[in-house]
Amino acid sequence: MSGTVHLVGAGPGAADLLTVRAARLLGEADVVFFDALVPPGVLALAPDAQKIPVGKRCGRHSTAQRFINKRLLDAARRYRTVVRLKGGDPMLFGRAQEEISFLGKNRIKVEIVPGITSALAASAELGISLTLRGVSRSVVFATPRSADGESSGWARAVAAADTAVLYMAAGDAVRVRDALMASGKSPRTPVAVAESVALEGQALHAGDLQTLPELAARCAGGPALVMIGDVFAAAQAAAWRSLEPRAASQTA
Amino acid sequence: MSGTVHLVGAGPGAADLLTVRAARLLGEADVVFFDALVPPGVLALAPDAQKIPVGKRCGRHSTAQRFINKRLLDAARRYRTVVRLKGGDPMLFGRAQEEISFLGKNRIKVEIVPGITSALAASAELGISLTLRGVSRSVVFATPRSADGESSGWARAVAAADTAVLYMAAGDAVRVRDALMASGKSPRTPVAVAESVALEGQALHAGDLQTLPELAARCAGGPALVMIGDVFAAAQAAAWRSLEPRAASQTA
């Protein structure tokens, strides 16, 4: 009888922004496989588990994923409760499907526990709702990263939505800005770059689409979100103030 | 000295899908204002608080919102910890901004605690990732509901994204289908209608965009999401099986 693999969302970083279910599973886990971005405070919720880092490196995705799949399978055959901990939510830019399919084919039971995706954590920290009556009733989460040098479908999706949050985009700010302006987004569209949301070093850089490369250049190297849309006009004035006290209280 | 108003995401319904922070705040709250969709199991996390329902009725939004704002302000002037509990995440279709702005103008401190939005809970229950290498790298959350009889901007946003989840759409399925097909979405695009996610009565109806009205008609009246995109092709075969056992275990 094999164990169950739980794909668990670790949320944005703060240990109290996991779900109650995720925290309970970590406490019960025999073994926890975790990504590079999961901070120590979250791993501390699994004091009795074997903790195994399986961070992936850019450009070496396929090999690493096959290796992770195999390790999850081996663990499920040996242990009762296996937790695969992924930053944010597993079903949004978490590459969960490859693990779900592989384990399913090998008749391992998989349960998925959702997590707070960093876009929603950033919105909460900023105090700016992603939807707003009369301004925004569509919100797109997208990434311009592609393994295969693919097209600008993501830019059309971003241009068509009222509000957009781009994951894994801050390192590629010039290309992102140019693609969005080519897709019809105004250079004056408000933009906020949120770095290390709910982690030590949380910071916000607000401006507009035209200035996105400068905003991204101010990041100190933490994971960053690029947030685009009229709802973020408020970020240009107020966000620093609302962010700093929370960042201080959270890293205490 | 006024208290703090915490706008807290209640998640999709299951009491263990709130964040640890949300559960702690409910335990400390003096008073909890809650929406119609928050189930009793979640409210039970606040055994010592005064619990006040503030459900809104369709078409009477403005009056109700002003009334809620006023009650939150009065409570913040009287109590230390006021929780405003909203289904899902407060910053996604939660109308949080009106409460944040009003309280801010009245110099009341507001903190926001994110929640699991029902689209991510549904994705977890289905075992279908909203993003998928080579298939989907943009996900839009949108609503076709409008107070002001507004245009089809939401439909263009949905048509441009690889994956879409529509909130508050199942009651208007014919108009939604027609608007999406007019915006260029293929009638054969896979669709899944997820009802009462993580609640008693959880159900899934899978088909394609052409058959959306029939899928929506099978709903029993619970809150429903319309999920659209190629990633949901898998839902047509497998979803009933993966949903039913979980629904049983969660309502136990």
Side-chain angles (χ1 to χ4, degrees):
Chain A
M1 180 66 185
S2 297
T4 299
V5 176
H6 302 266
L7 298 189
V8 174
D16 63 350
L17 287 181
L18 277 82
T19 65
V20 172
R21 189 183 296 174
R24 177 178 55 75
L25 280 167
L26 283 170
E28 295 170 0
D30 299 300
V31 53
V32 177
F33 294 90
F34 65 97
D35 281 342
L37 288 177
V38 176
V42 172
L43 293 174
L45 297 170
D48 301 329
Q50 210 187 128
K51 288 177 273 290
I52 303 174
V54 289
K56 293 174 199 168
R57 298 208 191 133
C58 273
R60 297 196 47 189
H61 168 266
S62 306
T63 313
Q65 188 60 59
R66 277 200 299 270
F67 179 70
I68 294 169
N69 290 349
K70 179 68 167 57
R71 294 203 68 171
L72 290 173
L73 176 61
D74 290 345
R77 286 177 172 159
R78 186 173 312 177
Y79 299 108
R80 189 157 170 273
T81 304
V82 179
V83 169
R84 171 72 172 104
L85 198 57
K86 289 170 176 280
D89 182 87
M91 305 307 242
L92 209 53
F93 308 114
R95 290 173 174 165
Q97 207 69 55
E98 299 166 58
E99 294 170 18
I100 295 168
S101 300
F102 177 83
L103 293 167
K105 273 181 212 140
N106 285 281
R107 297 164 182 266
I108 301 298
K109 192 175 174 205
V110 177
E111 296 271 342
I112 298 139
V113 181
I116 302 295
T117 190
S118 52
L120 293 178
S123 168
E125 290 288 328
L126 280 166
I128 295 177
S129 179
L130 301 182
T131 56
L132 185 61
R133 270 169 75 82
V135 176
S136 169
R137 48 182 185 149
S138 59
V139 180
V140 70
F141 299 152
T143 178
R145 272 272 184 96
S146 81
D148 43 15
E150 194 221 316
S151 73
S152 58
W154 66 272
R156 284 194 303 277
V158 168
D162 297 325
T163 302
V165 182
L166 292 177
Y167 288 65
M168 298 165 281
D172 215 4
V174 171
R175 183 173 72 92
V176 165
R177 179 197 60 187
D178 293 350
L180 291 178
M181 284 169 50
S183 295
K185 214 71 179 168
S186 159
R188 312 246 52 98
T189 309
V191 164
V193 177
E195 186 183 10
S196 299
V197 173
L199 291 168
E200 196 164 355
Q202 173 171 290
L204 186 97
H205 313 289
D208 60 25
L209 184 55
Q210 179 66 52
T211 63
L212 172 58
E214 292 104 275
L215 302 175
R218 283 189 229 151
C219 288
L225 295 172
V226 177
M227 311 177 83
I228 302 165
D230 289 338
V231 298
F232 299 112
Q236 304 190 28
W240 268 108
R241 265 176 295 139
S242 71
L243 271 169
E244 296 208 287
R246 291 215 48 140
S249 74
Q250 285 184 347
T251 56
Chain B
M1 180 66 188
S2 297
T4 298
V5 176
H6 303 266
L7 297 189
V8 175
D16 63 351
L17 287 181
L18 277 82
T19 65
V20 172
R21 188 182 297 174
R24 177 177 55 74
L25 279 168
L26 283 170
E28 295 170 0
D30 298 300
V31 54
V32 177
F33 294 90
F34 65 97
D35 280 342
L37 288 177
V38 176
V42 172
L43 293 174
L45 297 171
D48 300 329
Q50 211 188 124
K51 288 177 272 290
I52 302 174
V54 289
K56 294 173 199 167
R57 298 211 190 130
C58 273
R60 298 197 47 189
H61 168 264
S62 305
T63 312
Q65 188 61 59
R66 276 200 299 271
F67 178 71
I68 293 169
N69 290 350
K70 180 67 169 56
R71 294 203 69 171
L72 291 173
L73 176 61
D74 290 345
R77 286 176 171 159
R78 187 173 311 177
Y79 299 107
R80 188 158 170 274
T81 304
V82 179
V83 169
R84 171 72 172 104
L85 197 57
K86 290 170 175 281
D89 181 87
M91 305 307 241
L92 210 53
F93 308 115
R95 291 174 173 164
Q97 208 67 55
E98 300 166 58
E99 294 171 18
I100 294 168
S101 300
F102 178 82
L103 293 167
K105 275 182 210 139
N106 285 280
R107 296 163 182 267
I108 301 298
K109 192 175 173 206
V110 178
E111 296 272 343
I112 298 139
V113 181
I116 302 295
T117 191
S118 52
L120 294 177
S123 167
E125 290 289 328
L126 280 166
I128 296 176
S129 180
L130 302 181
T131 56
L132 186 61
R133 269 169 76 83
V135 176
S136 168
R137 48 183 186 148
S138 60
V139 180
V140 69
F141 299 155
T143 177
R145 272 273 183 96
S146 81
D148 45 14
E150 195 221 315
S151 74
S152 57
W154 67 270
R156 283 195 303 277
V158 168
D162 296 326
T163 301
V165 182
L166 292 177
Y167 289 64
M168 297 166 281
D172 215 3
V174 172
R175 182 172 73 91
V176 166
R177 178 196 60 188
D178 293 349
L180 291 178
M181 284 169 50
S183 295
K185 214 73 179 168
S186 159
R188 312 247 50 101
T189 308
V191 164
V193 176
E195 185 183 9
S196 300
V197 173
L199 291 167
E200 194 163 356
Q202 173 171 290
L204 185 96
H205 313 290
D208 59 25
L209 184 55
Q210 179 65 51
T211 63
L212 172 58
E214 291 104 274
L215 303 175
R218 283 188 230 153
C219 288
L225 294 172
V226 177
M227 311 177 85
I228 302 165
D230 289 339
V231 297
F232 299 112
Q236 304 190 27
W240 268 108
R241 265 175 295 140
S242 69
L243 270 168
E244 295 208 287
R246 291 215 47 139
S249 74
Q250 285 184 348
T251 56

